[in-house]
Amino acid sequence: MRRSIDDHPADPADVPPGLDGELAPVSWAVAISDDYDDAEPRVVLTVEEVGRAGQGLVTHLSPTVARRLRAALRDALREIGEPVE
């Protein structure tokens, strides 16, 4: 099984002001898959620089590591004063 969950095609507006030319816009996608020898489902996170399709990084996260990433993103949002669900 493979299923796309969400993706964000990068936009030049994603690069913070003052860093134009220093940072490349990056697209991300999240999917789930269980196409492994152990058939365990994992969260698949792909990040790619715009204009370099197929040359990005893909990580296959176990549920434990995916939860850790989710918690880190929640904590980062809290640190910058954003509401956390």
Side-chain angles (χ1 to χ4, degrees):
M1 159 211 42
R2 293 183 196 176
R3 187 164 75 91
S4 178
I5 302 297
D6 195 6
D7 65 89
H8 175 74
D11 183 285
D14 293 337
V15 177
L19 295 178
D20 298 339
E22 293 183 41
L23 295 180
V26 174
S27 296
W28 58 261
V30 174
I32 56 172
S33 179
D34 66 355
D35 295 344
Y36 311 101
D37 289 347
D38 63 5
E40 290 296 319
R42 289 175 173 80
V43 174
V44 181
L45 173 63
T46 304
V47 292
E48 291 183 321
E49 182 179 344
V50 170
R52 301 192 68 158
Q55 298 180 34
L57 299 173
V58 180
T59 186
H60 302 256
L61 306 172
S62 69
T64 299
V65 175
R67 280 191 289 275
R68 182 175 173 184
L69 177 58
R70 178 181 64 187
L73 291 169
R74 181 198 62 227
D75 292 348
L77 285 166
R78 184 180 298 127
E79 285 288 322
I80 63 172
E82 289 293 317
V84 177
E85 297 176 11

